Amino acid sequence: LQLPCECPDARHVYHLYVIQVNERDRIQRGLEKAGVASAVYYPQPLHLSEPCQFLGYGKGEFPVAERASQETLAIPLYPEMSAEHLEIVIAAVKRTVCTPEFG
């Protein structure tokens, strides 16, 4: 599990709270079972998308982007989020990430 990071001289606005996890699809299923919403915003790296095909890039040319498209998952975070809901999300993420059979 890799959490977002901030640069020392800047603050993130967290429009989305995106974590990076191995086995993202399993983690997403586990969160769904726990009643926690999540979303994959970029399931395909941009260089492999249809609108960018004219650029001529192929699979393997941007390995970091390709890995991110398989490992990133947005979990709930919003200004009105209660401390109780935050704890539910945290517990579900921990349980799902740490328990391979969950999900």
Side-chain angles (χ1 to χ4, degrees):
L1 171 66
Q2 186 174 3
L3 302 176
C5 63
E6 290 184 357
C7 296
D9 58 345
R11 285 196 62 200
H12 200 299
V13 296
Y14 293 107
H15 165 67
L16 299 172
Y17 195 82
V18 179
I19 60 174
Q20 190 168 351
V21 291
N22 294 327
E23 301 182 61
R24 182 204 49 217
D25 296 338
R26 181 186 67 78
I27 302 300
Q28 189 172 31
R29 286 190 306 272
L31 293 176
E32 183 178 351
K33 284 181 183 178
V36 174
S38 64
V40 175
Y41 284 94
Y42 298 99
Q44 180 181 45
L46 294 178
H47 70 284
L48 297 179
S49 67
E50 188 175 337
C52 293
Q53 285 182 352
F54 76 96
L55 296 170
Y57 295 114
K59 189 170 179 130
E61 294 192 61
F62 294 96
V64 174
E66 292 172 28
R67 187 175 64 247
S69 74
Q70 298 299 308
E71 296 179 350
T72 54
L73 184 64
I75 59 174
L77 180 70
Y78 51 92
E80 300 84 10
M81 189 172 192
S82 69
E84 180 183 1
H85 189 206
L86 180 61
E87 290 301 324
I88 290 169
V89 172
I90 291 169
V93 169
K94 284 182 177 179
R95 182 173 56 250
T96 306
V97 170
C98 296
T99 311
E101 62 276 0
F102 194 84

